[in-house]
Amino acid sequence: VQLQASGGGLVQAGGSLRLSCAASGRTFNVYDMAWFRQAPGKEREFVAAIWWSGDRYYADSVKGRFTISRDNAKNTVYLQMDSLKYEDTAVYYCAAGGYSTTPATYNYWGQGTLVTVSS
């Protein structure tokens, strides 16, 4: 599976962005998908995940502000980010094939897309 993330950019605090992650391969619908992020000088951290069943999980820091979704027909997973805060600034990565909130469990990674939130 190859993943291509897009949609990052510069936004003011309180604004919104939608990230997309397009996947290659015909078995996209069986993969659990997730978004992680990594801020400068910090470890990569879990943001949100959506299992093949459609169940969703969120980090406490983004719960109520971010929404993860998937379109299996388009082999794409999305991350809608609303009410963005300065501390959301990071490189965001999509990942596939994992089964938890731990980065090491994921087999496939996109290249990352930078989200910068100005205060």
Side-chain angles (χ1 to χ4, degrees), residues 39-60:
K42 295 187 177 181
E43 293 186 352
R44 193 166 298 189
E45 65 174 5
F46 171 77
V47 176
I50 184 166
W51 297 162
W52 65 268
S53 62
D55 290 342
R56 309 175 192 189
Y57 298 88
Y58 298 94
D60 288 342

Side-chain angles (χ1 to χ4, degrees), residues 64-82:
R65 300 188 298 120
F66 290 10
T67 302
I68 190 171
S69 62
R70 65 192 298 163
D71 185 336
N72 290 335
K74 295 183 178 180
N75 281 9
T76 301
V77 63
Y78 304 98
L79 185 69
Q80 177 66 41
M81 304 186 294
D82 299 318

Side-chain angles (χ1 to χ4, degrees), residues 1-106:
V1 175
Q2 292 185 326
L3 304 175
Q4 181 72 37
S6 61
L10 174 64
V11 63
Q12 288 187 332
S16 299
L17 279 176
R18 189 177 80 156
L19 305 183
S20 300
C21 178
S24 64
R26 293 180 290 179
T27 58
F28 171 79
N29 61 308
V30 304
Y31 283 103
D32 298 328
M33 303 292 297
W35 288 94
F36 291 81
R37 66 187 181 187
Q38 189 164 17
K42 295 187 177 181
E43 293 186 352
R44 193 166 298 189
E45 65 174 5
F46 171 77
V47 176
I50 184 166
W51 297 162
W52 65 268
S53 62
D55 290 342
R56 309 175 192 189
Y57 298 88
Y58 298 94
D60 288 342
S61 59
V62 307
K63 202 172 293 183
R65 300 188 298 120
F66 290 10
T67 302
I68 190 171
S69 62
R70 65 192 298 163
D71 185 336
N72 290 335
K74 295 183 178 180
N75 281 9
T76 301
V77 63
Y78 304 98
L79 185 69
Q80 177 66 41
M81 304 186 294
D82 299 318
S83 302
L84 281 161
K85 303 176 181 180
Y86 174 76
E87 51 265 40
D88 294 319
T89 297
V91 176
Y92 283 71
Y93 298 89
C94 60
Y99 54 86
S100 74
T101 61
T102 303
T105 66
Y106 286 80

